[in-house]
Amino acid sequence: KFDTPVEFEGDWTKKEGKWVVPKEDREDFSTDGPLIGTKVWRNVDGTVLEGEVIGVGALLIHEDDEDKVACVRVVYENGFQQDLYHYEGDDEFGAARDAFVRWEAFKARDASSVEVEGGNWTRDDSGKWTPSPQDEGAFLLEGERIGNLVRTNVTLHNGDDVPCDGVVIGVGRGQAEDGTYQACTRVTYKPPEGVDAIDIQEDLWETEFLVAWKASRKWEKKLKRAARGGEHQGVQ
Protein backbone atom coordinates (compact mmCIF):
# COMPACT_ATOMS: atom_id res chain seq x y z
CA LYS A 1 0.00 0.00 0.00
CA PHE A 2 1.21 3.49 -0.92
CA ASP A 3 4.08 1.91 -2.93
CA THR A 4 2.40 1.98 -6.34
CA PRO A 5 4.79 3.19 -9.09
CA VAL A 6 4.36 6.86 -9.90
CA GLU A 7 2.47 7.87 -13.03
CA PHE A 8 3.02 11.60 -13.35
CA GLU A 9 6.08 13.75 -13.88
CA GLY A 10 7.07 15.47 -10.64
CA ASP A 11 5.76 12.70 -8.38
CA TRP A 12 7.97 11.73 -5.50
CA THR A 13 9.60 8.31 -5.51
CA LYS A 14 10.43 5.88 -2.74
CA LYS A 15 13.92 4.48 -2.17
CA GLU A 16 14.82 2.01 0.56
CA GLY A 17 11.54 2.68 2.33
CA LYS A 18 11.92 6.47 2.36
CA TRP A 19 10.33 9.10 0.16
CA VAL A 20 12.77 11.04 -2.01
CA VAL A 21 11.87 14.67 -2.56
CA PRO A 22 12.66 15.83 -6.12
CA LYS A 23 15.17 18.63 -6.50
CA GLU A 24 12.50 21.13 -7.53
CA ASP A 25 10.55 20.54 -4.29
CA ARG A 26 13.38 20.42 -1.75
CA GLU A 27 13.20 24.10 -0.87
CA ASP A 28 9.46 23.89 -0.25
CA PHE A 29 8.94 20.55 1.53
CA SER A 30 10.20 18.57 4.49
CA THR A 31 9.70 14.85 5.11
CA ASP A 32 10.08 15.20 8.88
CA GLY A 33 7.64 16.31 11.56
CA PRO A 34 4.57 15.17 13.49
CA LEU A 35 2.22 15.38 10.49
CA ILE A 36 4.17 12.83 8.44
CA GLY A 37 2.16 9.63 8.21
CA THR A 38 -1.15 11.32 9.07
CA LYS A 39 -3.99 9.53 7.32
CA VAL A 40 -6.57 11.31 5.15
CA TRP A 41 -9.79 10.37 3.35
CA ARG A 42 -10.73 12.47 0.33
CA ASN A 43 -12.85 12.63 -2.79
CA VAL A 44 -10.36 12.26 -5.65
CA ASP A 45 -12.01 12.65 -9.06
CA GLY A 46 -15.27 11.17 -7.79
CA THR A 47 -13.81 8.25 -5.82
CA VAL A 48 -13.05 8.36 -2.10
CA LEU A 49 -9.47 7.29 -1.42
CA GLU A 50 -7.37 6.78 1.69
CA GLY A 51 -4.01 8.51 1.76
CA GLU A 52 -1.18 9.54 4.03
CA VAL A 53 1.01 12.61 4.40
CA ILE A 54 4.56 12.19 3.08
CA GLY A 55 5.68 15.82 3.11
CA VAL A 56 4.92 19.17 4.77
CA GLY A 57 5.66 22.51 3.19
CA ALA A 58 4.35 25.68 1.59
CA LEU A 59 3.87 26.69 -2.05
CA LEU A 60 3.00 29.72 -4.12
CA ILE A 61 -0.44 29.20 -5.62
CA HIS A 62 0.04 31.87 -8.30
CA GLU A 63 3.26 33.29 -9.69
CA ASP A 64 2.34 36.84 -8.67
CA ASP A 65 1.53 35.87 -5.06
CA GLU A 66 3.77 37.26 -2.33
CA ASP A 67 3.09 34.64 0.36
CA LYS A 68 3.23 30.89 0.17
CA VAL A 69 0.29 28.76 1.35
CA ALA A 70 0.89 25.93 3.83
CA CYS A 71 0.29 22.50 2.37
CA VAL A 72 1.04 18.80 2.70
CA ARG A 73 1.97 16.26 0.03
CA VAL A 74 -0.29 13.21 0.14
CA VAL A 75 0.04 9.84 -1.57
CA TYR A 76 -3.18 7.86 -2.00
CA GLU A 77 -3.72 4.12 -1.96
CA ASN A 78 -3.69 3.98 -5.77
CA GLY A 79 -0.34 5.82 -5.98
CA PHE A 80 -1.78 9.20 -6.97
CA GLN A 81 -0.11 12.18 -5.29
CA GLN A 82 -1.67 15.53 -4.44
CA ASP A 83 -0.91 18.68 -2.44
CA LEU A 84 -3.62 19.64 0.06
CA TYR A 85 -3.63 23.29 1.11
CA HIS A 86 -4.57 25.23 4.18
CA TYR A 87 -6.32 28.23 2.69
CA GLU A 88 -7.84 30.88 4.91
CA GLY A 89 -11.31 29.53 5.62
CA ASP A 90 -10.73 26.39 3.54
CA ASP A 91 -8.50 23.80 5.15
CA GLU A 92 -8.28 20.98 2.60
CA PHE A 93 -5.90 18.93 4.72
CA GLY A 94 -7.85 19.40 7.95
CA ALA A 95 -11.09 18.36 6.26
CA ALA A 96 -9.47 15.24 4.77
CA ARG A 97 -7.89 14.35 8.12
CA ASP A 98 -11.21 14.74 9.94
CA ALA A 99 -12.95 12.67 7.25
CA PHE A 100 -10.51 9.80 7.90
CA VAL A 101 -11.30 9.91 11.62
CA ARG A 102 -15.03 9.65 10.82
CA TRP A 103 -14.34 6.83 8.35
CA GLU A 104 -12.45 4.82 10.98
CA ALA A 105 -15.26 5.44 13.46
CA PHE A 106 -17.78 4.20 10.88
CA LYS A 107 -15.85 0.97 10.30
CA ALA A 108 -15.53 0.34 14.03
CA ARG A 109 -19.26 0.93 14.50
CA ASP A 110 -20.10 -1.18 11.45
CA ALA A 111 -18.10 -4.11 12.84
CA SER A 112 -19.67 -3.84 16.30
CA SER A 113 -22.96 -5.17 17.61
CA VAL A 114 -24.27 -1.65 18.16
CA GLU A 115 -27.58 -1.06 16.38
CA VAL A 116 -27.66 2.22 14.49
CA GLU A 117 -30.65 3.75 12.74
CA GLY A 118 -30.51 3.47 8.97
CA GLY A 119 -32.89 4.66 6.29
CA ASN A 120 -32.86 7.50 3.81
CA TRP A 121 -30.81 10.63 4.10
CA THR A 122 -32.65 13.86 4.91
CA ARG A 123 -32.38 17.33 3.40
CA ASP A 124 -32.94 20.67 5.13
CA ASP A 125 -34.48 23.83 3.70
CA SER A 126 -31.11 24.97 2.34
CA GLY A 127 -30.75 21.79 0.30
CA LYS A 128 -27.99 20.30 2.46
CA TRP A 129 -28.13 16.53 2.83
CA THR A 130 -27.53 14.72 6.11
CA PRO A 131 -26.70 10.98 6.03
CA SER A 132 -28.54 8.61 8.32
CA PRO A 133 -26.67 7.69 11.53
CA GLN A 134 -25.88 4.32 9.95
CA ASP A 135 -24.10 5.99 7.01
CA GLU A 136 -22.35 8.75 8.98
CA GLY A 137 -18.65 8.70 8.13
CA ALA A 138 -18.95 6.39 5.13
CA PHE A 139 -19.67 9.13 2.58
CA LEU A 140 -18.37 12.52 1.52
CA LEU A 141 -20.91 15.10 0.34
CA GLU A 142 -18.66 17.47 -1.61
CA GLY A 143 -16.31 17.30 -4.56
CA GLU A 144 -16.25 15.59 -7.93
CA ARG A 145 -19.30 13.61 -9.05
CA ILE A 146 -21.64 15.27 -6.51
CA GLY A 147 -24.61 16.61 -8.48
CA ASN A 148 -24.02 14.34 -11.47
CA LEU A 149 -27.17 12.99 -13.10
CA VAL A 150 -27.95 9.30 -13.59
CA ARG A 151 -30.75 7.30 -15.20
CA THR A 152 -31.57 3.68 -14.41
CA ASN A 153 -34.42 1.31 -13.66
CA VAL A 154 -35.53 1.44 -10.05
CA THR A 155 -37.71 -1.06 -8.21
CA LEU A 156 -40.56 0.76 -6.46
CA HIS A 157 -42.19 -0.24 -3.19
CA ASN A 158 -44.94 -2.04 -5.12
CA GLY A 159 -42.41 -4.14 -7.05
CA ASP A 160 -42.67 -2.26 -10.36
CA ASP A 161 -39.47 -1.44 -12.24
CA VAL A 162 -39.53 2.05 -13.77
CA PRO A 163 -36.83 4.22 -15.37
CA CYS A 164 -35.93 7.06 -13.01
CA ASP A 165 -33.69 10.10 -13.22
CA GLY A 166 -31.47 10.64 -10.22
CA VAL A 167 -28.76 12.89 -8.84
CA VAL A 168 -25.62 11.99 -6.89
CA ILE A 169 -25.65 13.26 -3.29
CA GLY A 170 -22.68 11.38 -1.83
CA VAL A 171 -19.61 9.32 -2.68
CA GLY A 172 -18.08 6.79 -0.31
CA ARG A 173 -17.66 3.11 0.35
CA GLY A 174 -20.01 0.28 1.19
CA GLN A 175 -19.41 -3.26 2.36
CA ALA A 176 -19.61 -5.81 -0.44
CA GLU A 177 -20.60 -9.46 -0.09
CA ASP A 178 -16.96 -10.48 0.36
CA GLY A 179 -16.67 -8.18 3.39
CA THR A 180 -14.44 -5.57 1.72
CA TYR A 181 -15.36 -1.90 1.51
CA GLN A 182 -15.72 -0.80 -2.12
CA ALA A 183 -16.46 2.47 -3.86
CA CYS A 184 -20.12 3.38 -4.13
CA THR A 185 -22.29 6.38 -4.92
CA ARG A 186 -25.46 7.48 -3.09
CA VAL A 187 -28.23 8.58 -5.46
CA THR A 188 -31.65 10.08 -4.86
CA TYR A 189 -34.26 9.54 -7.59
CA LYS A 190 -37.21 11.44 -8.97
CA PRO A 191 -39.90 9.02 -10.20
CA PRO A 192 -41.61 9.72 -13.55
CA GLU A 193 -44.75 11.85 -13.50
CA GLY A 194 -47.80 9.95 -12.37
CA VAL A 195 -45.83 7.41 -10.35
CA ASP A 196 -46.77 7.46 -6.67
CA ALA A 197 -43.36 7.07 -5.01
CA ILE A 198 -41.21 9.35 -2.90
CA ASP A 199 -37.83 9.33 -1.19
CA ILE A 200 -36.21 6.70 -3.37
CA GLN A 201 -32.51 6.43 -2.63
CA GLU A 202 -29.92 3.74 -3.26
CA ASP A 203 -26.18 3.12 -3.40
CA LEU A 204 -24.67 2.26 -6.78
CA TRP A 205 -21.43 0.31 -7.06
CA GLU A 206 -18.83 1.85 -9.36
CA THR A 207 -19.78 -0.12 -12.48
CA GLU A 208 -23.48 0.50 -11.81
CA PHE A 209 -22.88 4.24 -11.48
CA LEU A 210 -20.93 4.44 -14.73
CA VAL A 211 -23.72 2.66 -16.61
CA ALA A 212 -26.40 4.92 -15.08
CA TRP A 213 -24.33 8.06 -15.67
CA LYS A 214 -23.79 7.21 -19.35
CA ALA A 215 -27.49 6.35 -19.71
CA SER A 216 -28.42 9.79 -18.37
CA ARG A 217 -26.15 11.53 -20.87
CA LYS A 218 -27.65 9.53 -23.74
CA TRP A 219 -31.17 10.33 -22.53
CA GLU A 220 -30.41 14.06 -22.32
CA LYS A 221 -29.03 14.01 -25.87
CA LYS A 222 -32.15 12.21 -27.05
CA LEU A 223 -34.39 14.83 -25.42
CA LYS A 224 -32.39 17.64 -27.01
CA ARG A 225 -32.63 16.04 -30.44
CA ALA A 226 -36.39 15.63 -29.99
CA ALA A 227 -36.69 19.28 -28.93
CA ARG A 228 -34.73 20.45 -31.97
CA GLY A 229 -36.94 18.30 -34.17
CA GLY A 230 -40.04 19.90 -32.67
CA GLU A 231 -38.61 23.37 -33.31
CA HIS A 232 -37.95 22.56 -36.95
CA GLN A 233 -41.48 21.26 -37.38
CA GLY A 234 -42.83 24.42 -35.83
CA VAL A 235 -40.88 26.56 -38.30
CA GLN A 236 -42.25 24.63 -41.24
Side-chain angles (χ1 to χ4, degrees), residues 134-194:
Q134 188 178 64
D135 291 329
E136 168 61 30
F139 288 86
L140 297 179
L141 312 186
E142 297 179 349
E144 295 291 328
R145 190 175 290 186
I146 303 299
N148 281 8
L149 302 179
V150 298
R151 183 174 176 83
T152 187
N153 282 349
V154 176
T155 302
L156 304 181
H157 302 297
N158 60 6
D160 292 340
D161 283 340
V162 297
C164 290
D165 294 310
V167 60
V168 174
I169 58 176
V171 293
R173 292 189 181 179
Q175 193 169 37
E177 292 183 359
D178 62 0
T180 61
Y181 289 100
Q182 299 182 12
C184 66
T185 300
R186 172 57 63 101
V187 173
T188 181
Y189 294 105
K190 179 182 179 182
E193 290 187 16

Side-chain angles (χ1 to χ4, degrees), residues 21 55 60 77 86 102 112 132 159 182 193 209 215 221-222:
V21 182
L60 288 175
E77 57 193 283
H86 179 78
R102 292 192 297 270
S112 71
S132 65
Q182 299 182 12
E193 290 187 16
F209 164 76
K221 290 180 180 179
K222 183 177 180 180

Side-chain angles (χ1 to χ4, degrees), residues 16-214:
E16 298 179 354
K18 294 184 179 181
W19 286 99
V20 179
V21 182
K23 184 177 180 180
E24 60 269 23
D25 287 333
R26 290 175 187 168
E27 292 185 1
D28 300 312
F29 283 94
S30 169
T31 55
D32 296 318
L35 292 180
I36 302 300
T38 300
K39 297 294 192 296
V40 299
W41 212 57
R42 184 170 168 82
N43 181 346
V44 181
D45 296 329
T47 301
V48 180
L49 296 175
E50 180 181 331
E52 69 178 21
V53 175
I54 59 176
V56 179
L59 293 172
L60 288 175
I61 306 302
H62 305 290
E63 293 183 359
D64 56 350
D65 288 345
E66 296 182 359
D67 299 321
K68 294 183 177 181
V69 177
C71 64
V72 296
R73 170 61 62 96
V74 169
V75 59
Y76 294 99
E77 57 193 283
N78 63 352
F80 178 70
Q81 297 181 20
Q82 182 182 46
D83 296 327
L84 300 183
Y85 293 89
H86 179 78
Y87 299 102
E88 183 177 353
D90 184 11
D91 185 0
E92 294 178 337
F93 165 61
R97 177 181 53 190
D98 293 345
F100 180 80
V101 173
R102 292 192 297 270
W103 167 239
E104 289 294 294
F106 164 80
K107 288 190 294 183
R109 186 177 67 244
D110 199 39
S112 71
S113 59
V114 177
E115 295 186 6
V116 183
E117 181 182 355
N120 281 348
W121 298 11
T122 58
R123 182 169 53 177
D124 62 20
D125 294 338
S126 69
K128 181 180 178 180
W129 288 95
T130 299
S132 65
Q134 188 178 64
D135 291 329
E136 168 61 30
F139 288 86
L140 297 179
L141 312 186
E142 297 179 349
E144 295 291 328
R145 190 175 290 186
I146 303 299
N148 281 8
L149 302 179
V150 298
R151 183 174 176 83
T152 187
N153 282 349
V154 176
T155 302
L156 304 181
H157 302 297
N158 60 6
D160 292 340
D161 283 340
V162 297
C164 290
D165 294 310
V167 60
V168 174
I169 58 176
V171 293
R173 292 189 181 179
Q175 193 169 37
E177 292 183 359
D178 62 0
T180 61
Y181 289 100
Q182 299 182 12
C184 66
T185 300
R186 172 57 63 101
V187 173
T188 181
Y189 294 105
K190 179 182 179 182
E193 290 187 16
V195 176
D196 185 18
I198 58 173
D199 296 334
I200 304 174
Q201 299 177 16
E202 71 172 341
D203 297 331
L204 300 178
W205 298 115
E206 189 66 10
T207 53
E208 293 174 330
F209 164 76
L210 292 175
V211 171
W213 175 69
K214 292 177 181 178

